[in-house]
Amino acid sequence: MRNWPIFHVTITTPRLELRLPALAELDDLADRAAEGVHEPGFMPFTFPWTDAEPAERARSTMAYHFRKWSEWTPEEWSASFAVIFEGQVVGTQELAATDFGVTGEVTTGSWIGHRFQGKGIGAEMRRAVLHLAFEGLGAVSATTEAFDDNAASLGVTRKLGYREDGLRVQARRGKAALLRRFRLGRDDWRPEDGYAISGLEPCLPLFGRAVTA
C-alpha cells in the first residue's frame, strides 16, 4: 500500500516471519483465538478477552486489529504483527509506544495459539520486535509485564535480559493478582544473528521517527 507502507514492514528470524496481517492472515489469526490461547482455569491477560465464546474471540481479534490500524498516529501506535511459523499463522506479537519520538520507549504484548506453544516461538517472536525496536527504530528501552503466575511469559522476559522494574496489583476475575513489570535498556540489549528487517525506511515517520538525510 503506497499510502500506508507499514504493511510492508517485515521481520524475519531463523524460524519466523512477522508482518501486519493481510485480511486472510487476520482471519487465520482469529481462528487461532477461537481455538484457544490458554488453559480454561488460567488468565494471562489484564483484560480477560479470552473468557468469551470462541466465535466472539474470533470477532474481537479482528476488530482489535482494525481498531489499531485506524487509530495509528506517530504519537501513539501499536503494531500487532502476525507471527508465521512453517507457513501458518500461530499468534500475534505487538510492539507499541506513546510519544516514542520523545521517550524512545516501547512496550510489548503477545499471544500464541495453544497448540503451537512449547516450541520456543514466544522468545523468538519477542526478540524479533525487540530487534525492530532497538536496531530499526533506535529505542532507548522496552518494557513488559506479566502476572506473577505466568511462568512462560516470565521465563521469556528473563531469558532476554530484562531487569525487574516494580510491581502492581490488578483485579483479575474478581480477585487481586500481582503483576511484575520489567525493563530492558539499550545497554542490556544483545542482538543475535539471523534477525532482519525490511520495508522500514518509508515508515519511520509513522513510528514517530524523523528520517535523516
Side-chain angles (χ1 to χ4, degrees):
M1 295 184 181
R2 293 187 305 276
N3 296 304
W4 201 240
I6 193 70
F7 279 94
H8 297 299
V9 174
T10 301
I11 315 164
T12 54
T13 80
R15 299 185 300 161
L16 309 175
E17 182 173 331
L18 283 73
R19 58 179 181 263
L20 291 192
L23 290 181
E25 292 165 337
L26 185 54
D27 217 24
D28 290 340
L29 185 63
D31 288 342
R32 298 296 87 78
E35 291 165 7
V37 178
H38 55 78
E39 296 294 340
F42 179 58
M43 175 49 65
F45 305 114
T46 55
F47 177 75
W49 64 275
T50 49
D51 278 345
E53 292 298 314
E56 179 55 33
R57 292 201 299 268
R59 285 192 294 269
S60 68
T61 296
M62 298 193 74
Y64 178 84
H65 285 257
F66 293 148
R67 184 170 67 254
K68 291 300 181 181
W69 295 344
S70 69
E71 293 175 347
W72 187 303
T73 68
E75 294 75 30
E76 187 166 0
W77 50 263
S78 177
S80 292
F81 296 101
V83 180
I84 316 297
F85 172 66
E86 295 182 346
Q88 297 183 80
V89 175
V90 299
T92 183
Q93 175 67 63
E94 184 175 75
L95 183 73
T98 300
D99 295 323
F100 179 76
V102 177
T103 69
E105 184 169 281
V106 298
T107 188
T108 62
S110 65
W111 59 263
I112 305 170
H114 195 258
R115 63 188 174 96
F116 294 99
Q117 294 172 15
K119 303 176 184 293
I121 295 172
E124 194 166 328
M125 69 195 216
R126 176 102 65 89
R127 180 173 284 281
V129 293
L130 291 174
H131 188 89
L132 171 61
F134 288 111
E135 304 299 317
L137 299 175
V140 175
S141 60
T143 66
T144 192
E145 61 183 18
F147 283 111
D148 194 47
D149 57 2
N150 191 344
S153 180
L154 294 174
V156 168
T157 296
R158 290 176 171 132
K159 177 180 180 179
L160 292 174
Y162 288 77
R163 298 175 186 267
E164 293 213 30
D165 194 42
L167 305 170
R168 70 182 178 92
V169 177
Q170 168 83 29
R172 180 178 61 171
R173 287 177 168 167
K175 297 181 180 180
L178 188 65
L179 271 168
R180 293 190 177 273
R181 181 178 170 88
F182 296 83
R183 179 179 301 274
L184 179 65
R186 170 166 285 281
D187 290 344
D188 293 321
W189 162 246
R190 299 290 181 266
E192 289 188 359
D193 293 337
Y195 289 73
I197 308 162
S198 62
L200 180 59
E201 184 70 21
C203 303
L204 290 176
L206 291 171
F207 287 101
R209 281 286 315 279
V211 179
T212 57

